[in-house]
Amino acid sequence: MGEDRSGCDPVIVVVPCFNEARRLDPGAFRDFAASRDWLRLVFVDDGSQDGTQGLLEDLVKEPHGRLELLPLPHNVGKAEAVRQGILHGLEAGAASVGFWDADLATPLEEMDRLREALRTRPRLEVVIGSRVRLLGHRIERHIWRHYFGRVAATLVSRLLTLPVYDTQCGAKLFRVCPGVRDAFRTPFATRWEFDVEVLARWLLRHRSEGQRDVDLRILEMPLERWRDVADSRMTPADFFRSPLDLARLWRRYARPLRQPARHRVAGPEPGAGR
C-alpha cells in the first residue's frame, strides 16, 4: 500500500505495553506507520520487566520519526499508562488521539477506517471499534468472553444511557475537543473498566452543557477483523474484578448522568468559521 497523504491532521495513537516482548510485532507497527504520514505511534512501556523496553528502544529508531517511546518508571496498570500516553499526545498538539492494543487483536488497518470516520464527519468526536459478528466479518472471539461481554454491555448501556454494544475493544480514536480533554484529565477510578469511565466523563461534559445531539458525536464501528490473542493480559480473577469496577462506576456516575441537562443556548459548532 502506498503512502496515505489524504489529509495530514496529526493523529497520535497510544500503544500501552507491559511485558510484551514475546507478543509484540515490531515489523507490523514499523511498516504501518511508515506508510501513513498522518500517524504517530507512542508506545508507553508500563514498567516492563521482560525486555520490552529494549525492544521498543530499537523500534523507535526508525528514520521516518513516527514512532516514539514513553517509558514509565514502574508499573501503573493499563488505565494509567493509556492516560499518560493520551496526555502526552494532547500536549504534542494532536488533532486526534487514541489507543490501540499492543497484541494487534485488532489489525492496524482497522485504524484507517476509524480515522476516515473522524475525517469525513466533522461533528464526530469519538469512534470506537466494536466486535460484532456479522456475515463477511472475521471476529474470532472465545464464546465465554462473548457472553461475559454481552452481560457487561447491557449494564454499561444502562449506566451510560446509550445503546453501546462493545466498550472494551482496544481500538478507539477521539477528536481533540474539550470533552475528550476532560475524559483524560484525572486518573481513573478503575483498572480494567476505564474505557467505560472515558465515555462516562465525555458524556458528562456534553450533558452538563445541555447538548442534545450526543448520539451524533459518537460512532460505534463494527470491525472487519478481530481475533483473540494467546497469552491474554486478562486473568480469570480480572473477570471477577470487572463487576466490582462496574459497581464502582455506577455509584460514581449513574446519578450525574441522569441529571436533567442544563439548558444551553444554541451557537455555532466548535471551530466553526476557522
Side-chain angles (χ1 to χ4, degrees):
M1 182 176 180
E3 188 166 15
D4 179 3
R5 294 184 176 277
S6 57
C8 295
D9 288 342
V11 180
I12 294 181
V13 175
V14 174
V15 183
C17 300
F18 175 66
N19 291 347
E20 296 284 356
R22 289 192 304 167
R23 302 197 305 172
L24 198 72
D25 184 349
F29 288 106
R30 180 189 303 115
D31 295 345
F32 187 79
S35 63
R36 287 152 178 85
D37 61 353
W38 45 267
L39 176 65
R40 200 164 100 210
L41 294 175
V42 176
F43 296 90
V44 180
D45 179 44
D46 186 18
S48 296
Q49 301 172 346
D50 69 340
T52 295
Q53 184 169 332
L55 185 67
L56 293 174
E57 287 173 347
D58 289 339
L59 177 59
V60 301
K61 292 176 183 177
E62 286 299 308
H64 53 63
R66 295 175 193 157
L67 306 175
E68 184 178 353
L69 173 60
L70 179 62
L72 302 181
H74 55 84
N75 179 249
V76 294
K78 182 179 180 180
E80 183 61 14
V82 167
R83 195 181 76 88
Q84 290 296 327
I86 294 292
L87 292 177
H88 180 80
L90 293 174
E91 291 175 0
S96 302
V97 293
F99 55 92
W100 215 263
D101 281 349
D103 61 10
L104 297 185
T106 306
L108 288 166
E109 288 74 17
E110 294 282 359
M111 196 184 301
D112 291 328
R113 300 176 60 236
L114 272 63
R115 181 244 180 180
E116 183 67 7
L118 282 180
R119 196 179 70 85
T120 58
R121 297 171 61 170
R123 295 175 70 87
L124 206 58
E125 296 179 6
V126 180
V127 186
I128 60 178
S130 185
R131 297 163 291 186
V132 186
R133 297 188 68 180
L134 300 169
L135 292 175
H137 296 235
R138 293 182 59 187
I139 306 299
E140 303 171 17
R141 193 178 188 189
H142 291 306
I143 192 67
W144 57 272
R145 292 190 70 168
H146 170 75
Y147 285 125
F148 180 85
R150 299 316 318 127
V151 172
T154 299
L155 295 173
V156 170
S157 293
R158 295 194 63 185
L159 168 64
L160 301 177
T161 65
L162 283 177
V164 62
Y165 182 88
D166 182 8
T167 59
Q168 300 309 105
C169 179
K172 294 180 174 66
L173 292 183
F174 308 87
R175 190 187 310 280
V176 173
C177 61
V180 168
R181 291 183 182 276
D182 278 1
F184 292 94
R185 193 180 307 278
T186 57
F188 298 112
T190 61
R191 186 179 180 90
W192 285 109
E193 299 295 334
F194 75 95
D195 306 68
V196 178
E197 193 164 4
V198 167
L199 296 180
R201 292 177 176 187
W202 176 81
L203 282 168
L204 277 177
R205 168 75 186 225
H206 282 294
R207 289 176 179 171
S208 70
E209 294 181 346
Q211 299 283 0
R212 300 182 184 276
D213 61 346
V214 170
D215 58 325
L216 300 178
R217 298 174 184 263
I218 184 169
L219 174 67
E220 193 169 11
M221 178 174 288
L223 299 174
E224 292 185 350
R225 289 190 295 147
W226 190 89
R227 62 186 177 89
D228 266 316
V229 176
D231 191 25
S232 170
R233 289 294 175 262
M234 287 197 75
T235 67
D238 294 322
F239 284 93
F240 290 99
R241 295 189 188 104
S242 185
L244 297 177
D245 276 356
L246 286 175
R248 187 177 296 114
L249 293 178
W250 195 279
R251 289 194 299 270
R252 177 171 293 206
Y253 292 105
R255 181 173 293 178
L257 284 170
R258 283 162 174 75
Q259 292 294 323
R262 195 174 68 230
H263 178 69
R264 178 178 182 267
V265 177
E269 281 291 299
R274 290 190 301 184

